[in-house]
Amino acid sequence: MAVSDHVDLETFIKGVEKRNPGQNEFVQAVTEVAQDIFEFIADKEEYHEAQILRRIAEPDRVVSFRVCWEDDNHNVRVQRGWRVQNNNAIGPYKGGIRFHPSVTESVLKFLAFEQTFKNSLTGLPMGGGKGGANFNPRGKSDGEVMRFCQSFMTELYRHIGPDTDVPAGDIGVGAREIGYMFGQYKRITGRWEGVLTGKGMEYGGSQMRPEATGYGAVYFMQNMLKHKKDGIDGKTAVISGSGNVATHAAEQITKQGGKVLTLSDSGGFIHDPDGIDQDKIDWIKDLKTNRRGRISEYTDEFTGASYHEGERPWGVKCDLALPCATQNELNGDEARTLVDNGVIAVSEGANMPTTLEGVHIFHDAKIMYGPGKAANAGGVAVSGLEMSQNAERISWNHERLGTMLTELMEGIHDKCVKYGDQGDGYVDYVKGANIAGFKKVADAMLAYGVV
Ligand code: NDP
């Protein structure tokens, strides 16, 4: 018999720690997935023999490169860029690009690993990748952002392609940055092709892509509630973040009759007991995407709201919670507070926003908990549809894509239930997402043999 990886979970995790020293986020993400997969593959010798989990937890490659650019005062600035191509067993690498000072190789490896399972869950042919740079777009002029994006793409272009690796936006990378990067790719290669998603509507972008992640996270929550014969109408929601995901989640909660009480940014959160309705959401979208201001300015505009500097919103009593800002933004104590305040469902718009301790608290309290890899998959799903439209040189309308998104989110929810139903009426959505996502990738890898 071939050498098997029949080690126990603890030994496996120790190995991951040893091979990835100091990469805490990556180890955290692998640990979370490994717990469920070990149970699932306990009696499946073929996965052990082929060392499937060990292989998925070792990126196909990590490319790191220098990004040199000139600021407005003609100072030469140097940043580090990365592309992590985790796994392309079921389709071209696919995953966003993040520009934020907190970006490290560990953060991108964790995101690319998670992306592999998320993309698999959508049912579309997409592998997992992620990229970014430790560049802070905040406070930079348009010209500086453009020069940075062009320099970043001048190196990245050789590693990507419509059938190889198709990046998208993420934190700090919105329509403006995608436009600059796509323009530079086209300039260098002389080719117009669907190499990035999240593009503007004028040049190959898809309807519904801007809304897809935030709306999708709310559709996932709607499906969890529906499974318990409940709904969003009349419920209060606490949301973190005020970027693409958070504002669209707020919009969809409002559309379904819920009341949004909070939004935040890295400076603090605003609490509006009257509810953050569509007009207020539109004002915040303009503040963040055009005026590039801070969420604290909300209280100058709308009376009755308060701003809480340096704090996160999880202490505000609510029925529904949607973390939509960043990783590890909801810890064990905050999860406990949400539970004590009567939260019934949590749907993650962000990637890994809840710490492992927080996840255990939600599970122990039998709270409906939709992890990011399932709940925020709507964004990449519509990106997959953008790839299809680009390949066919067509564009589908808003209504058609809206229907496809709701169906995709329902499908993801149902796969989670299939593999995560605990038999006592409680669904472990983390387990369901991990196993369903893993199985498709693993079976493809088995088919390829040792590659
Ligand atoms: P944006 O850049 O549009 O917004 C990010 C928001 O989070 C901003 O309000 C930002 O505040 C806040 N934020 C960032 N870092 C921190 C921090 N360390 N502490 C507190 N707040 C912080 O990003 P997106 O909305 O696109 O992404 C949000 C999350 O959703 C990320 O985890 C991303 O990976 C995930 N995601 C996004 C998808 C998409 O389609 N965009 C798809 C799937 C997942 P500030 O303005 O102060 O920086």
Side-chain angles (χ1 to χ4, degrees):
M1 198 174 85
V3 180
S4 138
D5 71 343
H6 266 215
V7 292
D8 60 21
L9 179 62
E10 206 180 319
T11 313
F12 176 78
I13 297 302
K14 281 209 176 101
V16 175
E17 281 168 350
K18 199 170 154 203
R19 288 189 294 278
N20 303 278
Q23 300 197 337
N24 299 337
E25 295 85 357
F26 179 64
V27 173
Q28 179 185 342
V30 176
T31 304
E32 188 240 271
V33 169
Q35 284 165 352
D36 292 329
I37 302 302
F38 260 69
E39 200 184 312
F40 175 67
I41 64 174
D43 58 351
K44 299 178 179 63
E45 189 58 37
E46 67 276 23
Y47 294 133
H48 289 286
E49 277 184 18
Q51 305 244 15
I52 296 289
L53 185 58
R54 167 89 198 264
R55 284 159 63 188
I56 298 180
E58 189 69 47
D60 288 355
R61 65 194 61 78
V62 179
V63 184
S64 124
F65 47 92
R66 184 184 64 232
V67 186
C68 214
W69 58 287
E70 201 177 281
D71 68 21
D72 287 344
N73 298 320
H74 304 292
N75 298 310
V76 173
R77 309 281 290 265
V78 184
Q79 246 79 43
R80 186 171 297 171
W82 289 268
R83 187 70 186 166
V84 179
Q85 297 178 330
N86 193 69
N87 188 293
N88 66 351
I90 60 168
Y93 304 106
K94 179 96 199 82
I97 293 177
R98 178 177 292 192
F99 291 163
H100 196 270
S102 65
V103 167
T104 60
E105 189 173 312
S106 168
V107 167
L108 296 177
K109 277 172 68 177
F110 119 63
L111 289 164
F113 177 78
E114 289 276 302
Q115 194 83 43
T116 304
F117 296 84
K118 183 192 303 189
N119 293 0
S120 164
L121 266 180
T122 66
L124 301 174
M126 299 181 290
K130 200 84 189 185
N134 58 354
F135 169 74
N136 190 357
R138 192 189 307 159
K140 303 287 189 302
S141 71
D142 244 10
E144 289 176 326
V145 170
M146 182 183 75
R147 289 194 291 280
F148 180 81
C149 288
Q150 290 176 338
S151 182
F152 184 83
M153 183 52 84
T154 300
E155 173 62 31
L156 185 69
Y157 89 95
R158 72 192 76 238
H159 307 292
I160 61 176
D163 297 315
T164 315
D165 184 353
V166 184
D170 191 66
I171 292 179
V173 178
R176 173 180 65 167
E177 292 75 15
I178 292 287
Y180 292 146
M181 286 192 274
F182 189 69
Q184 183 72 353
Y185 179 87
K186 198 169 63 58
R187 181 189 192 189
I188 296 170
T189 62
R191 289 196 298 272
W192 193 110
E193 53 192 9
V195 71
L196 293 174
T197 59
K199 299 187 289 299
M201 297 306 155
E202 308 78 15
Y203 56 96
S206 175
Q207 298 283 345
M208 278 306 289
R209 178 61 190 91
E211 299 92 334
T213 308
Y215 279 21
V218 176
Y219 293 151
F220 195 86
M221 180 165 260
Q222 181 188 11
N223 278 296
M224 290 197 294
L225 290 165
K226 196 166 140 205
H227 194 68
K228 291 279 170 198
K229 304 196 173 6
D230 202 349
I232 289 173
D233 192 21
K235 301 229 168 29
T236 53
V238 160
I239 302 180
S240 64
S242 51
N244 172 275
V245 180
T247 52
H248 288 107
E251 198 166 283
Q252 187 56 227
I253 288 281
T254 309
K255 278 185 201 294
Q256 295 198 28
K259 189 199 240 190
V260 177
L261 299 176
T262 67
L263 284 169
S264 71
D265 64 17
S266 49
F269 78 92
I270 48 139
H271 178 200
D272 187 341
D274 296 332
I276 305 173
D277 62 18
Q278 188 62 53
D279 287 346
K280 294 171 177 173
I281 295 168
D282 289 343
W283 185 89
I284 292 170
K285 280 186 182 174
D286 182 55
L287 173 80
K288 285 292 177 183
T289 48
N290 299 325
R291 290 180 280 136
R292 306 212 173 252
R294 311 301 302 154
I295 199 74
S296 56
E297 295 167 44
Y298 184 92
T299 53
D300 301 333
E301 187 72 15
F302 302 106
T303 50
S306 51
Y307 175 63
H308 304 261
E309 171 114 36
E311 288 181 44
R312 302 195 283 218
W314 313 121
V316 174
K317 187 173 162 47
C318 60
D319 303 311
L320 314 172
L322 293 109
C324 295
T326 192
Q327 67 271 5
N328 292 329
E329 54 158 324
L330 201 170
N331 64 25
D333 289 343
E334 291 162 322
R336 167 69 47 219
T337 304
L338 279 167
V339 170
D340 290 347
N341 281 341
V343 76
I344 58 172
V346 179
S347 181
E348 294 183 338
N351 285 313
M352 209 169 73
T354 311
T355 62
L356 274 179
E357 195 194 351
V359 175
H360 289 146
I361 288 168
F362 290 143
H363 277 160
D364 291 348
K366 305 264 178 198
I367 302 298
M368 287 174 248
Y369 167 69
K373 72 174 71 100
N376 70 33
V380 75
V382 175
S383 274
L385 302 177
E386 184 173 331
M387 288 165 69
S388 304
Q389 293 170 81
N390 290 168
E392 282 194 70
R393 306 255 190 269
I394 52 169
S395 51
W396 296 323
N397 65 26
H398 201 269
E399 195 187 359
R400 179 168 180 186
L401 284 152
T403 306
M404 287 166 113
L405 175 63
T406 47
E407 286 172 1
L408 278 159
M409 293 314 297
E410 193 178 342
I412 293 169
H413 173 268
D414 293 353
K415 279 181 213 160
C416 293
V417 173
K418 178 174 174 191
Y419 290 102
D421 194 333
Q422 299 300 92
D424 60 355
Y426 185 66
V427 180
D428 182 338
Y429 285 95
V430 179
K431 182 192 245 178
N434 283 339
I435 295 174
F438 170 82
K439 192 170 179 313
K440 185 176 174 194
V441 176
D443 289 346
M445 290 171 74
L446 282 181
Y448 301 145
V450 181
V451 287

